[in-house]
Amino acid sequence: MVAIHAVYYNFARIHKTLRITPSTAAGLSDHVWSLEEIVMMADNYLPKPARRGPYNKKISNVEP
């Protein structure tokens, strides 16, 4: 959650003193990002859920 806020602060929020975003001032971006772009970037970054393998029971070496 903190990472999304940091991306919003640096790429989408226009600062009063700079009058542009910090990422644009640093040359990292050429436009102001929308919230939709940030969410799509975060969604594409996460791995897609995959099918899990078979469940293997552990065999106990303890004799009754």
Side-chain angles (χ1 to χ4, degrees):
M1 192 64 159
V2 174
I4 292 175
H5 177 73
V7 172
Y8 170 77
Y9 186 83
N10 290 314
F11 286 86
R13 184 174 180 265
I14 298 175
H15 293 255
K16 289 181 182 179
T17 56
L18 295 174
R19 295 191 178 131
I20 54 177
T21 65
S23 63
T24 306
L28 299 174
S29 178
D30 58 350
H31 67 283
V32 178
W33 288 24
S34 67
L35 219 50
E36 182 179 348
E37 283 180 292
I38 294 171
V39 170
M40 292 302 294
M41 186 257 321
D43 187 43
N44 291 334
Y45 181 75
L46 294 174
K48 302 296 179 203
R51 184 180 166 120
R52 294 184 64 177
Y55 176 74
N56 296 327
K57 292 184 180 180
K58 289 186 177 183
I59 300 174
S60 174
N61 292 334
V62 179
E63 294 180 20

